[in-house]
Amino acid sequence: MIKKDENLILITNDLRNKEKDLKLKEEEQNRKDIDLKVREEEQKNLELKEKRRRDRTLKLIKEEEEKQKHLENIKIKEWEEKFDIEQKEIEHKENLREQRLRQKELEKLRAFEEKDNILKDNLSSGLQKFDIDKTTEN
């Protein structure tokens, strides 16, 4: 019986030790699980921060591209307006030149007509002065 008691005590002690080991292992596993969860959470946070940073960077890049496009459009419109104004000035100058040429032609025609009229008047008056005396014979 004593041996049996001693054996039971040994078995009980062994069981206690095993339970303690199990508890220690369980606690260690729990700590590892908690640590793993914490690391996973930290990793998620880092990934989220990185994603936000990339998104901000992309947003800034897109805004810059939009700004560039807008500036290019403004420059193109300004150039088109300047070109249109220059074309209108060229057309206006061309029209003025054509009007001056027409005016000069009209002045030349008037001058020519006046000279022609003066010659006709002189010729008519010369013929009238050139009255032949009807009584005299040639």
Side-chain angles (χ1 to χ4, degrees):
M1 249 339 224
I2 293 177
K3 278 190 176 189
K4 223 178 186 186
D5 276 344
E6 283 177 7
N7 196 12
L8 277 176
I9 290 174
L10 280 176
I11 290 177
T12 308
N13 282 339
D14 193 34
L15 276 177
R16 279 187 202 143
N17 286 337
K18 286 187 179 187
E19 282 180 9
K20 283 180 184 180
D21 281 346
L22 274 176
K23 279 186 180 182
L24 285 174
K25 285 183 180 182
E26 187 179 332
E27 286 176 2
E28 186 179 334
Q29 186 63 41
N30 282 339
R31 274 186 256 121
K32 285 181 180 180
D33 288 345
I34 291 173
D35 188 44
L36 182 63
K37 284 181 183 180
V38 167
R39 279 189 267 137
E40 285 177 349
E41 190 67 31
E42 286 175 350
Q43 184 66 31
K44 283 181 184 179
N45 286 337
L46 285 174
E47 287 174 359
L48 186 62
K49 283 181 182 179
E50 181 66 23
K51 184 180 183 290
R52 286 180 184 156
R53 188 188 62 78
R54 277 184 273 138
D55 289 346
R56 277 194 307 266
T57 305
L58 284 175
K59 184 179 177 184
L60 288 174
I61 290 171
K62 284 182 181 180
E63 286 176 358
E64 186 64 31
E65 287 176 354
E66 287 296 318
K67 190 184 282 186
Q68 288 290 7
K69 285 181 183 179
H70 184 68
L71 287 174
E72 286 177 9
N73 287 338
I74 288 174
K75 286 180 182 179
I76 288 172
K77 285 180 183 179
E78 287 175 353
W79 182 86
E80 287 175 347
E81 289 174 359
K82 183 179 175 184
F83 182 79
D84 288 344
I85 290 172
E86 289 174 355
Q87 289 300 315
K88 286 179 182 178
E89 287 178 10
I90 290 171
E91 288 177 14
H92 182 69
K93 287 179 182 178
E94 187 69 27
N95 286 339
L96 286 176
R97 190 175 69 82
E98 287 178 12
Q99 285 179 347
R100 281 190 221 122
L101 287 174
R102 284 189 207 126
Q103 189 69 27
K104 285 181 182 179
E105 284 183 26
L106 285 175
E107 288 175 5
K108 285 181 182 178
L109 281 175
R110 284 184 191 141
F112 181 74
E113 286 177 1
E114 285 178 11
K115 285 182 183 179
D116 194 37
N117 283 341
I118 289 173
L119 285 176
K120 282 183 183 178
D121 286 344
N122 284 341
L123 191 59
S124 299
S125 63
L127 285 176
Q128 287 175 358
K129 288 181 184 177
F130 187 70
D131 239 356
I132 300 177
D133 203 12
K134 293 180 183 178
T135 57
T136 58
E137 284 185 30
N138 290 347

